Amino acid sequence: MKCEICKAIKKLGLDESAHDVWVCADAKSPREILEKAHVAIHHRWHELSETMSARWEAAEYMPHQRAHYVTLGL
């Protein structure tokens, strides 16, 4: 079912982007939108970190496996 705003826009023949100005009762809740955005951001960062790890391995850059040199100050 469409809200009154949806019906008015359709009746007047306006562009659907005009609906973005108002909050539609049929639209998704802001909480749901934020949760989906949070999940999408999490997945993007995970992909990015895996890509960087793969690049570091290909370049043989493993900071946790580097040799550590100690100077004796002599």
Side-chain angles (χ1 to χ4, degrees):
M1 183 170 156
K2 299 282 187 173
C3 68
E4 292 298 319
I5 298 168
C6 297
K7 291 176 186 175
I9 289 173
K10 188 173 182 179
K11 184 178 178 181
L12 295 173
L14 298 174
D15 186 24
E16 290 183 9
S17 63
H19 191 278
D20 297 339
V21 178
W22 297 283
V23 177
C24 177
D26 296 334
K28 295 179 182 176
S29 69
R31 178 178 288 167
E32 184 178 342
I33 293 170
L34 286 175
E35 285 179 13
K36 287 186 177 185
H38 178 76
V39 170
I41 291 169
H42 171 77
H43 287 295
R44 179 68 183 126
W45 277 110
H46 182 72
E47 291 171 7
L48 182 64
S49 67
E50 285 190 357
T51 301
M52 291 302 294
S53 295
R55 287 183 182 175
W56 286 349
E57 281 185 37
E60 296 180 2
Y61 175 73
M62 302 298 250
H64 59 281
Q65 294 179 353
R66 285 190 307 191
H68 297 279
Y69 299 101
V70 177
T71 58
L72 300 176
L74 297 176

